[in-house]
Amino acid sequence: DELGPPSFEADSTFRQLAAPLGGGLPESPILVRYEVQNGDDSDREGAVFPLPPAASGITLGHLRSHFPVPGRFHFRFKAPSPDGSFGGMVWADLMADVDSVPIFRGEICLKALSIPDDADPMPVLQPISNGALAAAAAAAAASGSPIGTPPQRYRRPNPARFAGADGFADGQPVHVASAPAVFEPAARSSFAEPGSPAPGQRASPEASPPPSPPARPPDDLMEMEFGGRSPAQAAAAAFAPAATASGAPAPRAPSPPKPPPVVLDREKLKREREERAIQQVRDAAARQQEQLEKDEKLRADKVKSSNDIGTQLDEWAKTPDGQSFKDIKVLISTMHTALWPDSGWKELSLSELLEGPAAVKKWYRKAILVVHPDKQTEAPPDQQVRADRIFQALNEAFKISDDK
């Protein structure tokens, strides 16, 4: 608890020591569910096999040796998330054969990705011996640093970290193939090799060259599509400037000059804005005046039409004395004589209206829909006058019939 969570070395050593002492490791085979992602159609279906227990615990190497499908594979395991997020599970990639395989709900669930036979071999990572681990623990306890500081690792800098999208850094081209090797340990531990460079220090050219690093598996399965390089490295190599015949990088073409900034005239912009506002007011006033003239002309035309056809509509709607409206059944049966041509109303015989009040009410509603004023707003003045007069006569006659 004082030193924090155990490191990979401490966890591996604990498994080696706990096996002969009965440290709670499984004694019966555990069920392994797997799926080969890029294999044959039959392999893509989920399959199961029992994995026998191992004295040192279930590790990636132990599972790889018992995997039933021949060939080389990269495994991705389903592991429970610490805080229950992401649906309670995450996918974990194990790189070393000594890594412990996660168990999810009492089983091992994995996805296998087939690796071509001509791909780089997988690196073999060995755990630290018990004596070196004990010495590291003692040194860490004395210095107050946590146990499990990872050893130095040989790596080649990623040019994508130092170069921009165009392959240049600080105006100079960056070549992927010529990036120097760098030793960059995360922290100096008690088991570091004597004479190794300090953190962040570049290896001296006079010093003996470091041993060739083992072939590294791709950090991501997508790197296989770029020949072992990451997408960022492949992009940096693609956009790097071509070299000349002498080996020197080709000079970068000068960028075109930027256009001069546009200087705006505040007084001109203000004047144009005021002119637009004045023009909008004038246009609105012109539209209003045009609508008033149109309404006035429509009223005059309707008055003229009412005078021309008023006598005809009165004879149709009212009794001979002109004091009351005719019966509703008479008006509906003779409405075709008062309507305009192509009104859509068909002549109705009086016998159909004598069937009862329900028939009268049905045909009254149909007649009202034909002559309703809301449907005549775009009609000629003569048609609007006829619709208004017929609509008024039908309503008054139906009220009298309903009261009776």
Side-chain angles (χ1 to χ4, degrees), residues 170-256:
D170 297 331
Q172 299 298 327
V174 176
H175 299 277
V176 178
S178 62
V182 177
F183 286 96
E184 188 178 348
R188 197 174 187 85
S189 60
S190 59
F191 45 79
E193 294 294 335
S196 60
Q201 186 177 14
R202 188 177 299 274
S204 174
E206 292 80 5
S208 58
S212 300
R216 181 184 61 82
D219 295 336
D220 195 300
L221 298 181
M222 293 181 62
E223 293 187 13
M224 298 176 61
E225 302 178 3
F226 298 97
R229 297 177 298 175
S230 67
Q233 292 173 334
F239 288 98
T244 59
S246 61
R252 186 180 181 183
S255 58

Side-chain angles (χ1 to χ4, degrees), residues 30-35 45-51 67-68 107-108:
I30 186 170
L31 203 62
V32 179
R33 300 182 182 274
Y34 70 93
E35 172 188 341
E45 298 180 359
V48 180
F49 74 92
L51 179 66
F67 193 64
E107 300 176 342
I108 297 177

